[in-house]
Amino acid sequence: PTMVLGWGFKYDQLTEMVGQRAYLFNYEEINPAEMQTAVDNLWENRKVVRQDLERIVPRIQKMVCFGGCFARDTINKYSMKAK
């Protein structure tokens, strides 16, 4: 389990995908008290968070691999046509 101190939309998307939005903080809007509460909550729930991530991350990895293979195959297909 981890917390994210970010600045871009990609961090919103990533933490949303893994169900960890509560642990995302925008560096421009840091509230130390809220961050401390989130750290305490994350530590207290670390086993559940870890189990959630272990369940979710393999599915995301498969999606990423599928997208990468699709891109590779598409590039190869059109590269061969250009020759």
Side-chain angles (χ1 to χ4, degrees), residues 6-19:
W7 64 90
F9 186 68
K10 63 186 171 186
Y11 300 106
D12 290 320
Q13 293 174 322
L14 176 62
T15 55
E16 188 69 31
M17 280 176 43
V18 296

Side-chain angles (χ1 to χ4, degrees), residues 13 16 22 31 40 49 54 71-72 74-75 78 80 83:
Q13 293 174 322
E16 188 69 31
N31 177 321
D40 294 342
V49 171
E54 287 172 345
R72 179 202 61 213
T74 301
I75 291 168
Y78 288 101
M80 297 302 258
K83 291 182 179 183

Side-chain angles (χ1 to χ4, degrees), residues 5 7 20 23 25 42 46 53 59 62-63 69 71 78:
L5 181 59
W7 64 90
Q20 302 299 308
Y23 304 115
F25 293 88
L42 181 60
R46 65 191 180 278
L53 291 172
R59 285 188 269 158
K62 285 180 185 177
M63 290 187 321
C69 289
Y78 288 101

Side-chain angles (χ1 to χ4, degrees), residues 22-58:
Y23 304 115
L24 169 65
F25 293 88
N26 184 316
Y27 83 98
E28 294 176 331
E29 303 166 1
I30 296 174
N31 177 321
E34 286 180 15
M35 200 169 206
Q36 182 63 54
T37 298
V39 168
D40 294 342
N41 180 276
L42 181 60
W43 182 253
E44 189 174 304
N45 295 296
R46 65 191 180 278
K47 290 180 182 176
V48 172
V49 171
R50 181 178 293 123
Q51 289 171 347
D52 289 345
L53 291 172
E54 287 172 345
R55 180 178 44 81
I56 294 167
V57 169

